Amino acid sequence: QPGPLYFKSMYQVFLFGVCSESMGKQLNFIYGEHEKIGKGANCVISMLHTFLSKFRYRVCHLLMHCDNCGGQNKNNAMMWYLSWRVLVGLNESITLTFMPVGHTKFFPDAAFGNLKSKFKRQQAYIMEHVQQACNQSGKINEGLLYDSGKGWIWKNWTQYLEHFFQHIPNITKFYGFCFKKKGYVECTHSSSGNYNNMQEF
Protein backbone atom coordinates (compact mmCIF):
# COMPACT_ATOMS: atom_id res chain seq x y z
CA GLN A 1 0.00 0.00 0.00
CA PRO A 2 1.46 3.40 -0.95
CA GLY A 3 1.59 6.12 1.60
CA PRO A 4 -0.41 9.34 1.41
CA LEU A 5 -0.29 10.81 -2.09
CA TYR A 6 -0.69 14.50 -2.79
CA PHE A 7 -1.48 15.93 -6.18
CA LYS A 8 -1.05 19.51 -7.19
CA SER A 9 -4.28 20.99 -8.47
CA MET A 10 -4.80 24.37 -10.10
CA TYR A 11 -6.33 27.15 -8.04
CA GLN A 12 -9.95 27.77 -8.94
CA VAL A 13 -10.98 31.30 -9.93
CA PHE A 14 -14.65 32.19 -10.31
CA LEU A 15 -16.02 34.82 -12.66
CA PHE A 16 -19.47 36.40 -12.64
CA GLY A 17 -20.42 39.14 -15.09
CA VAL A 18 -23.17 41.74 -15.01
CA CYS A 19 -23.57 43.70 -18.22
CA SER A 20 -25.17 47.07 -18.94
CA GLU A 21 -26.16 47.22 -22.60
CA SER A 22 -26.91 50.94 -22.43
CA MET A 23 -23.43 51.71 -21.12
CA GLY A 24 -21.68 49.03 -23.20
CA LYS A 25 -19.89 47.82 -20.09
CA GLN A 26 -19.66 44.50 -18.25
CA LEU A 27 -18.41 44.35 -14.68
CA ASN A 28 -16.76 40.99 -14.02
CA PHE A 29 -16.57 39.90 -10.39
CA ILE A 30 -13.42 37.85 -9.79
CA TYR A 31 -12.96 35.74 -6.67
CA GLY A 32 -10.98 32.68 -5.64
CA GLU A 33 -12.00 29.32 -4.26
CA HIS A 34 -11.29 30.38 -0.66
CA GLU A 35 -13.42 33.53 -1.06
CA LYS A 36 -16.64 32.00 -2.41
CA ILE A 37 -19.84 31.47 -0.43
CA GLY A 38 -21.48 29.08 -2.89
CA LYS A 39 -23.45 29.60 -6.08
CA GLY A 40 -26.82 30.39 -4.56
CA ALA A 41 -29.01 33.47 -4.48
CA ASN A 42 -27.02 35.28 -1.78
CA CYS A 43 -23.91 35.14 -3.93
CA VAL A 44 -25.63 36.53 -7.03
CA ILE A 45 -27.64 39.20 -5.20
CA SER A 46 -24.53 40.49 -3.40
CA MET A 47 -22.73 41.01 -6.72
CA LEU A 48 -25.81 42.41 -8.49
CA HIS A 49 -26.35 44.90 -5.66
CA THR A 50 -22.73 46.03 -5.95
CA PHE A 51 -23.11 46.49 -9.71
CA LEU A 52 -26.32 48.53 -9.39
CA SER A 53 -24.77 50.63 -6.62
CA LYS A 54 -21.97 51.70 -8.96
CA PHE A 55 -24.34 53.70 -11.19
CA ARG A 56 -23.64 57.40 -10.75
CA TYR A 57 -27.22 58.26 -11.63
CA ARG A 58 -30.51 56.81 -10.45
CA VAL A 59 -32.07 54.30 -12.85
CA CYS A 60 -35.83 54.82 -12.60
CA HIS A 61 -36.97 51.95 -14.80
CA LEU A 62 -34.67 48.93 -14.73
CA LEU A 63 -34.96 46.20 -17.39
CA MET A 64 -33.09 42.98 -16.70
CA HIS A 65 -32.49 39.79 -18.72
CA CYS A 66 -30.95 36.55 -17.47
CA ASP A 67 -30.95 32.80 -18.01
CA ASN A 68 -33.20 30.28 -16.29
CA CYS A 69 -30.81 29.08 -13.59
CA GLY A 70 -33.10 28.47 -10.62
CA GLY A 71 -30.40 28.44 -7.95
CA GLN A 72 -28.91 31.76 -9.03
CA ASN A 73 -31.54 33.84 -10.84
CA LYS A 74 -35.08 32.46 -10.90
CA ASN A 75 -35.77 32.09 -7.19
CA ASN A 76 -37.81 33.81 -4.50
CA ALA A 77 -34.78 35.51 -2.91
CA MET A 78 -34.07 37.36 -6.16
CA MET A 79 -37.72 38.42 -6.43
CA TRP A 80 -37.66 39.65 -2.84
CA TYR A 81 -34.52 41.68 -3.53
CA LEU A 82 -35.98 43.37 -6.62
CA SER A 83 -39.22 44.11 -4.78
CA TRP A 84 -37.15 45.55 -1.92
CA ARG A 85 -35.40 47.91 -4.35
CA VAL A 86 -38.78 49.31 -5.42
CA LEU A 87 -39.99 49.55 -1.83
CA VAL A 88 -37.01 51.59 -0.65
CA GLY A 89 -37.09 53.83 -3.74
CA LEU A 90 -33.89 52.70 -5.47
CA ASN A 91 -35.96 52.09 -8.63
CA GLU A 92 -39.47 53.10 -9.61
CA SER A 93 -40.05 49.88 -11.54
CA ILE A 94 -38.13 46.74 -12.46
CA THR A 95 -38.86 44.26 -15.23
CA LEU A 96 -37.09 40.90 -15.11
CA THR A 97 -37.34 38.54 -18.09
CA PHE A 98 -35.95 35.05 -18.62
CA MET A 99 -34.98 33.71 -22.02
CA PRO A 100 -36.67 30.52 -23.28
CA VAL A 101 -34.77 27.26 -23.19
CA GLY A 102 -32.46 26.92 -26.20
CA HIS A 103 -32.26 30.69 -26.74
CA THR A 104 -29.91 31.79 -23.99
CA LYS A 105 -27.25 33.63 -26.00
CA PHE A 106 -27.22 37.35 -25.31
CA PHE A 107 -24.99 40.40 -24.87
CA PRO A 108 -22.78 39.13 -21.98
CA ASP A 109 -21.64 36.17 -24.09
CA ALA A 110 -19.74 38.58 -26.37
CA ALA A 111 -17.90 40.03 -23.36
CA PHE A 112 -17.05 36.57 -22.01
CA GLY A 113 -15.86 35.56 -25.48
CA ASN A 114 -13.41 38.46 -25.58
CA LEU A 115 -12.19 37.61 -22.10
CA LYS A 116 -11.64 33.92 -22.90
CA SER A 117 -9.74 34.79 -26.06
CA LYS A 118 -7.41 37.12 -24.14
CA PHE A 119 -6.98 34.75 -21.21
CA LYS A 120 -5.85 31.88 -23.45
CA ARG A 121 -2.91 33.96 -24.66
CA GLN A 122 -1.76 35.17 -21.24
CA GLN A 123 -0.14 33.50 -18.25
CA ALA A 124 -1.96 34.01 -14.96
CA TYR A 125 -0.24 33.22 -11.68
CA ILE A 126 -2.06 35.52 -9.27
CA MET A 127 -5.53 37.05 -9.09
CA GLU A 128 -4.24 40.40 -10.38
CA HIS A 129 -3.19 38.68 -13.60
CA VAL A 130 -6.78 37.52 -14.16
CA GLN A 131 -8.01 41.05 -13.54
CA GLN A 132 -5.41 42.42 -15.95
CA ALA A 133 -6.50 39.98 -18.67
CA CYS A 134 -10.09 41.04 -18.11
CA ASN A 135 -9.32 44.75 -18.39
CA GLN A 136 -7.21 44.23 -21.52
CA SER A 137 -9.75 42.01 -23.30
CA GLY A 138 -11.73 44.95 -24.67
CA LYS A 139 -13.41 48.20 -23.74
CA ILE A 140 -16.52 46.34 -22.69
CA ASN A 141 -14.86 44.38 -19.86
CA GLU A 142 -13.85 45.58 -16.41
CA GLY A 143 -12.54 43.28 -13.68
CA LEU A 144 -13.29 43.69 -9.98
CA LEU A 145 -11.41 41.61 -7.40
CA TYR A 146 -13.06 40.50 -4.19
CA ASP A 147 -9.77 41.21 -2.40
CA SER A 148 -10.83 40.11 1.10
CA GLY A 149 -14.04 42.14 1.00
CA LYS A 150 -12.56 45.34 -0.43
CA GLY A 151 -14.27 44.86 -3.79
CA TRP A 152 -17.70 43.93 -2.43
CA ILE A 153 -19.27 42.24 0.60
CA TRP A 154 -21.08 38.92 0.77
CA LYS A 155 -24.43 39.34 2.52
CA ASN A 156 -27.13 36.91 3.57
CA TRP A 157 -29.96 38.60 1.67
CA THR A 158 -32.26 35.59 1.95
CA GLN A 159 -32.24 35.61 5.74
CA TYR A 160 -32.89 39.35 5.81
CA LEU A 161 -35.68 39.51 3.22
CA GLU A 162 -37.65 36.34 4.03
CA HIS A 163 -39.30 38.07 6.99
CA PHE A 164 -40.98 40.69 4.78
CA PHE A 165 -42.12 38.83 1.65
CA GLN A 166 -44.09 35.76 0.61
CA HIS A 167 -43.07 32.95 -1.71
CA ILE A 168 -44.26 32.97 -5.33
CA PRO A 169 -45.87 29.58 -6.02
CA ASN A 170 -44.57 27.65 -9.04
CA ILE A 171 -42.00 30.35 -9.72
CA THR A 172 -40.14 28.30 -12.34
CA LYS A 173 -43.19 28.33 -14.66
CA PHE A 174 -43.03 32.10 -15.16
CA TYR A 175 -40.84 33.90 -17.71
CA GLY A 176 -41.50 37.53 -16.82
CA PHE A 177 -41.75 39.51 -13.58
CA CYS A 178 -42.73 43.17 -13.13
CA PHE A 179 -42.20 45.16 -9.94
CA LYS A 180 -44.22 48.39 -10.15
CA LYS A 181 -46.55 48.43 -7.19
CA LYS A 182 -44.85 48.57 -3.86
CA GLY A 183 -44.88 45.13 -2.33
CA TYR A 184 -46.42 43.37 -5.35
CA VAL A 185 -45.00 41.45 -8.29
CA GLU A 186 -46.80 40.69 -11.54
CA CYS A 187 -45.83 37.43 -13.28
CA THR A 188 -46.44 36.10 -16.77
CA HIS A 189 -46.00 32.70 -18.41
CA SER A 190 -45.18 34.35 -21.74
CA SER A 191 -41.61 34.51 -23.02
CA SER A 192 -42.55 36.75 -25.97
CA GLY A 193 -42.77 39.98 -24.00
CA ASN A 194 -46.57 39.95 -23.80
CA TYR A 195 -47.56 41.19 -20.36
CA ASN A 196 -51.28 41.54 -20.98
CA ASN A 197 -52.27 38.47 -18.97
CA MET A 198 -50.31 38.68 -15.76
CA GLN A 199 -50.88 37.21 -12.32
CA GLU A 200 -50.32 39.37 -9.28
CA PHE A 201 -48.74 38.19 -6.03
Side-chain angles (χ1 to χ4, degrees):
Q1 294 289 335
L5 298 177
Y6 297 91
F7 299 91
K8 290 184 177 180
S9 58
M10 299 184 69
Y11 184 74
Q12 289 184 323
V13 176
F14 298 90
L15 191 70
F16 182 84
V18 184
C19 183
S20 170
E21 294 187 30
S22 61
M23 298 173 60
K25 275 287 187 182
Q26 177 165 305
L27 184 61
N28 297 282
F29 295 84
I30 306 168
Y31 55 101
E33 60 183 32
H34 72 286
E35 299 172 320
K36 68 175 183 177
I37 60 169
K39 296 183 179 180
N42 289 327
C43 177
V44 174
I45 295 173
S46 296
M47 292 183 285
L48 177 62
H49 183 71
T50 301
F51 175 82
L52 295 175
S53 299
K54 284 184 171 293
F55 281 111
R56 296 182 179 179
Y57 56 92
R58 180 169 174 265
V59 180
C60 296
H61 306 288
L62 183 63
L63 177 61
M64 299 174 56
H65 305 281
C66 53
D67 57 31
N68 283 276
C69 181
Q72 296 181 340
N73 305 321
K74 189 184 285 188
N75 54 68
N76 280 283
M78 178 62 71
M79 305 305 142
W80 297 341
Y81 168 72
L82 298 179
S83 183
W84 171 82
R85 290 190 62 89
V86 175
L87 279 169
V88 299
L90 295 176
N91 303 102
E92 292 182 13
S93 67
I94 300 175
T95 301
L96 174 64
T97 60
F98 292 87
M99 293 172 291
V101 178
H103 300 273
T104 56
K105 298 296 182 183
F106 59 139
F107 200 78
D109 291 298
F112 283 125
N114 291 342
L115 175 56
K116 289 180 180 179
S117 179
K118 176 64 177 178
F119 190 74
K120 288 179 180 178
R121 304 190 304 269
Q122 179 172 321
Q123 297 290 339
Y125 300 103
I126 57 177
M127 297 293 287
E128 284 74 12
H129 290 167
V130 181
Q131 183 186 32
Q132 183 180 18
C134 182
N135 293 337
Q136 294 177 353
S137 62
K139 294 182 179 180
I140 187 175
N141 279 317
E142 178 184 345
L144 178 64
L145 293 176
Y146 178 72
D147 195 15
S148 302
K150 297 178 182 178
W152 69 92
I153 301 174
W154 299 122
K155 294 183 179 180
N156 193 337
W157 287 93
T158 303
Q159 185 179 21
Y160 170 68
L161 296 171
E162 64 183 355
H163 302 291
F164 309 107
F165 300 96
Q166 299 179 5
H167 289 260
I168 300 176
N170 301 316
I171 189 173
T172 57
K173 295 182 179 180
F174 298 104
Y175 280 93
F177 302 84
C178 283
F179 305 85
K180 295 181 180 178
K181 300 179 181 179
K182 292 187 175 181
Y184 292 89
V185 55
E186 294 178 329
C187 310
T188 179
H189 292 91
S190 173
S191 60
S192 62
N194 182 9
Y195 293 89
N196 294 327
N197 299 314
M198 302 193 71
Q199 300 181 29
E200 185 175 279
F201 295 99

